[in-house]
Amino acid sequence: MTANRPMSVVFRVDASLDIGTGHVMRCLTLADALAASGAECCFICREHPGHLIEHIRGKGYPVHALPIGASALAMRGEPQAMDHPHHAHWLGCPWEMDAAETRAILDEDEPDWLVVDHYALDGRWEQALQGCYQKLMVIDDLADRPHVCDLLLDQNLGREPGDYEALVPAHCQRLIGPQYALLRPEFAALREYSLQRRQTPALKRLLITMGGIDQPNATGKVLEALKASPLPDDCQISVVMGAQAPWLEQVRALAATMPWPTEVKVNVTEMAQVMTDSDLAIGAGGSTSWERCCLGLPTLLVVLAENQLAGARTLHNSGAALTLGGPADLQEQLAPALHALLRDGHLVEMSRNARAITDGHGTERALQYMAFRA
């Protein structure tokens, strides 16, 4: 980066029905912080079913859309070679093809930072693009493959810097743990108020949030299981979903049959306020966990993917959430969990444990380091 031009940052990240929306959303959070500091940001995304390209453009960022053809569609769900990342099929094409398409874009204007948030990409892809960027940042949750990055961020509870010891170069700076969780500034802004209102707990508002896609329809399974659960008569239920969610209309129909007033919110932009106003969440694992922790929101946690298991277990063991298992376990597990949680003091204790995990300033910490290194 030269003194007479702003820092340039390119994000390589995807959303899809398989991947979900969380990777794109946390990259947008980082991009918003970078843009507010004067950086120029753009995105490279593949046009998977369920992509968020128009949403990103609606936020004001240019997007280079990579096409998905018949060969890419055929690759979905295929078993991967032993030397490929476990999630390689999420890319929708061979990594060499993706690298060549990305290089053609980066060659136009070498960015100061390339930020990669994709479980399907590893050090081979990154090495193939060396010379097309000044610095490389990887956002990861798995610690299951090598990288050749300058900066690595893993925001997960229980992760240790040593987990990446053999996976990144010696010079790589590792930002590890929920103190680096990429949260929008409104979560930190509402944290104090949210924590204060939980000092006198009650269950008046229940939030259900299973991610922007919710491929297994965990939301519908939660609503069905709640019908046999001990919610107070005056409880109100809010369901948050993405516009791309394949079960949206079925959930809307089911919400109309609930014994408690139940609203379905789509593409919510004020999520921090919705969480702050809620007394309990039934939510999926993943990045949203850190939003709930920042606001001290007690959570019954549902595991929607294998890569959420370790994080869910750690949150459960910390007392910040109570894990219900997967969607198939809800009918059996939800009612007993609510009975246990509504006993005196349990909501307060869970909120106290959750709030200790992250303060909501992780994006600022990451941004400071990127500015220092550029």
Side-chain angles (χ1 to χ4, degrees), residues 84-328:
H84 285 189
H86 180 68
H87 296 83
H89 59 284
W90 280 8
L91 194 58
C93 67
W95 71 264
E96 296 92 341
M97 177 187 297
D98 193 277
E101 293 173 337
T102 302
R103 172 178 281 277
I105 296 167
L106 296 180
D107 279 343
E108 297 177 8
D109 184 19
E110 179 183 310
D112 297 297
W113 281 98
L114 174 62
V115 180
V116 181
D117 188 346
H118 210 304
Y119 294 167
L121 299 176
D122 62 12
R124 293 171 300 180
W125 184 95
E126 297 157 8
Q127 198 160 21
L129 290 169
Q130 283 182 335
C132 296
Y133 54 82
Q134 294 294 318
K135 300 288 184 181
L136 174 66
M137 177 182 184
V138 169
I139 303 173
D140 190 27
D141 305 290
L142 305 178
D144 67 346
R145 60 205 189 282
H147 300 286
V148 292
C149 52
D150 302 286
L151 178 63
L152 183 137
L153 189 152
D154 185 325
Q155 61 189 18
N156 289 288
L157 183 66
R159 182 71 69 208
E160 299 291 341
D163 295 338
Y164 286 95
E165 188 69 32
L167 298 177
V168 297
H171 74 272
C172 176
Q173 177 69 31
R174 286 162 272 179
L175 308 182
I176 306 296
Q179 67 268 34
Y180 297 106
L182 298 174
L183 304 186
R184 298 188 301 279
E186 55 262 34
F187 287 94
L190 284 169
R191 174 176 164 87
E192 183 177 356
Y193 169 71
S194 183
L195 299 185
Q196 285 178 348
R197 68 176 296 275
R198 301 186 195 289
Q199 295 176 7
T200 54
L203 183 47
K204 302 293 186 182
R205 291 179 178 271
L206 173 65
L207 173 64
I208 302 171
T209 170
M210 294 294 160
I213 298 296
D214 186 15
Q215 183 82 318
N217 192 23
T219 304
K221 294 178 174 65
V222 168
L223 291 175
E224 289 287 4
L226 279 173
K227 291 181 177 181
S229 296
L231 288 183
D233 292 340
D234 59 350
C235 187
Q236 299 179 37
I237 300 173
S238 294
V239 176
V240 173
M241 304 185 76
Q244 301 276 10
W247 298 96
L248 177 58
E249 293 309 316
Q250 290 89 333
V251 168
R252 281 175 167 152
L254 181 56
T257 72
M258 295 297 291
W260 306 272
T262 303
E263 62 177 344
V264 179
K265 299 172 176 281
V266 179
N267 284 358
V268 169
T269 58
E270 70 285 358
M271 194 64 183
Q273 188 66 59
V274 171
M275 287 185 176
T276 296
D277 293 338
S278 301
D279 302 305
L280 174 68
I282 304 176
S287 299
T288 310
S289 296
W290 317 125
E291 298 173 351
R292 296 189 294 256
C293 285
C294 174
L295 298 174
L297 178 58
T299 301
L300 298 177
L301 196 61
V302 183
V303 178
L304 300 188
E306 181 184 352
N307 57 55
Q308 295 178 357
L309 278 171
R313 189 178 301 115
T314 307
L315 281 166
H316 181 95
N317 292 340
S318 74
L322 180 61
T323 301
L324 300 176

Side-chain angles (χ1 to χ4, degrees), residues 14-16 19-26 50 52 211-213 242 244:
D14 286 337
S16 76
I19 297 170
T21 63
H23 298 269
V24 164
M25 300 310 290
R26 66 185 178 187
L52 292 178
I213 298 296
Q244 301 276 10

